[in-house]
Amino acid sequence: MSSGGGQQSQALTKPTFSEVQASALVESVFGLKVSKIKPLPSYDDQNFHVCILRTKDTTDGPNEYVLKISNSESSKTPDLIEVQSHIIIFLRAAGFPTASMCRTKGDNLTSLISVDSGSEIKSYLVRLLTYLPGRPIAEIPSSPQLLYEIGRVAAKLDKTLEKFHHPKLSSLHRENFIWNLKNVPLLEKYLYALGQNRNREIVEQVVQLFKDEVMTKLSQFRE
């Protein structure tokens, strides 16, 4: 992202597949016949909730999936997507309630597809995962027990991931990735979005505190 142009950049790289196109992808790449499909919320990728038709070859498997189409920028770094996919597999094997990765007809975890947008050819990495039913935490009344459980799972996740190894693990280390918590100062570029109000003052104070109290000690923290 870049200051002021973040939303424009996001719009240029985010996939814009129709439900018909997404259904065709599920069938051509993963060999599953779609009975129902609808969009799911997403940030800069594109997600679909997919229900499949039962056939003699899919009688025992799940019938609900999530089709994930990575944005064109992330699709240029297949190592990153590969590591993410293997982390999901690793956590599921460790007993976490994560989705299962579905393999393509060519027995791969992802497939790179190219689309002619008229002005250029864009490529997107496609994955299919089993659908996990449930409710977002934001929709559930908060309680001390719920918060405790969230913390317990987060701690268990952290300890488990210490044991994860992959030859391309370094692809996760993106210095200017805005969702990396050590990159809080990058948020200064987007303060304009808050206008001139009390919230902006609070955010400015927090960013400055982070610079003063955290940045100076980052080298001492485990990452």
Side-chain angles (χ1 to χ4, degrees), residues 51-121:
C51 297
I52 64 161
L53 287 171
R54 291 291 191 188
T55 68
K56 62 180 181 180
D57 298 321
T58 60
T59 51
D60 297 329
N63 65 345
E64 291 185 80
Y65 296 87
V66 172
L67 175 69
K68 190 169 189 69
I69 307 171
S70 297
N71 67 79
S72 56
E73 277 303 306
S74 294
S75 296
K76 294 175 183 176
T77 54
D79 288 354
L80 174 66
I81 306 299
E82 179 184 334
V83 172
Q84 290 177 358
S85 300
H86 280 277
I87 287 173
I88 293 173
I89 295 170
F90 174 80
L91 290 175
R92 184 169 180 81
F96 285 84
T98 62
S100 295
M101 298 293 304
C102 305
R103 293 193 170 270
T104 67
K105 291 196 291 187
D107 199 31
N108 298 307
L109 292 176
T110 62
S111 179
L112 186 66
I113 59 160
S114 297
V115 177
D116 189 347
S117 63
S119 58
E120 61 178 324
I121 303 293

